Coordinates of all heavy atoms in Angstrom, one line a residue:
N236 N -26.9 -7.9 9.6 CA -26.2 -8.1 10.8 C -24.7 -8.6 10.6 O -23.8 -8.1 11.3 CB -26.8 -9.1 11.8 CG -28.1 -8.6 12.5 OD1 -28.2 -7.3 12.6 ND2 -28.9 -9.4 12.9
A237 N -24.5 -9.4 9.5 CA -23.3 -9.9 9.2 C -22.4 -8.6 8.7 O -21.3 -8.5 9.1 CB -23.3 -10.9 8.1
A238 N -23.0 -7.8 7.9 CA -22.3 -6.6 7.4 C -22.0 -5.5 8.5 O -20.9 -4.9 8.6 CB -23.1 -5.8 6.3
K240 N -21.4 -6.4 11.7 CA -20.3 -7.1 12.4 C -18.9 -6.9 11.6 O -17.9 -6.7 12.2 CB -20.6 -8.5 12.7 CG -21.6 -8.8 13.7 CD -21.9 -10.2 14.0 CE -23.0 -10.4 14.9 NZ -23.4 -11.8 15.2
T241 N -19.0 -7.1 10.3 CA -17.8 -6.9 9.6 C -17.3 -5.3 9.6 O -16.1 -5.2 9.9 CB -18.1 -7.2 8.0 OG1 -18.4 -8.6 7.9 CG2 -16.9 -7.0 7.1
K269 N -15.7 -7.8 2.0 CA -17.0 -8.7 1.8 C -17.2 -9.2 3.3 O -16.1 -9.4 4.1 CB -16.7 -9.8 0.9 CG -18.0 -10.6 0.6 CD -17.6 -11.6 -0.6 CE -18.9 -12.3 -1.0 NZ -18.7 -13.2 -2.1
N270 N -18.4 -9.5 3.6 CA -18.7 -10.0 4.8 C -17.7 -11.1 5.3 O -17.5 -12.0 4.6 CB -20.1 -10.6 5.0 CG -21.1 -9.5 5.0 OD1 -20.7 -8.3 5.4 ND2 -22.4 -9.7 4.7
L271 N -17.3 -11.1 6.6 CA -16.4 -12.1 7.1 C -17.1 -13.4 7.6 O -16.5 -14.4 7.7 CB -15.7 -11.6 8.3 CG -14.8 -10.2 8.2 CD1 -14.4 -9.6 9.4 CD2 -13.7 -10.5 7.2
E272 N -18.4 -13.3 7.8 CA -19.1 -14.5 8.2 C -19.8 -15.1 6.9 O -20.1 -14.7 6.0 CB -20.3 -14.2 9.1 CG -19.8 -13.5 10.3 CD -20.9 -13.4 11.3 OE1 -22.1 -13.3 11.0 OE2 -20.5 -13.0 12.5

Side-chain angles (χ1 to χ4, degrees):
N236 284 334
K240 288 179 182 178
T241 300
K269 191 171 182 178
N270 284 340
L271 299 173
E272 296 182 351

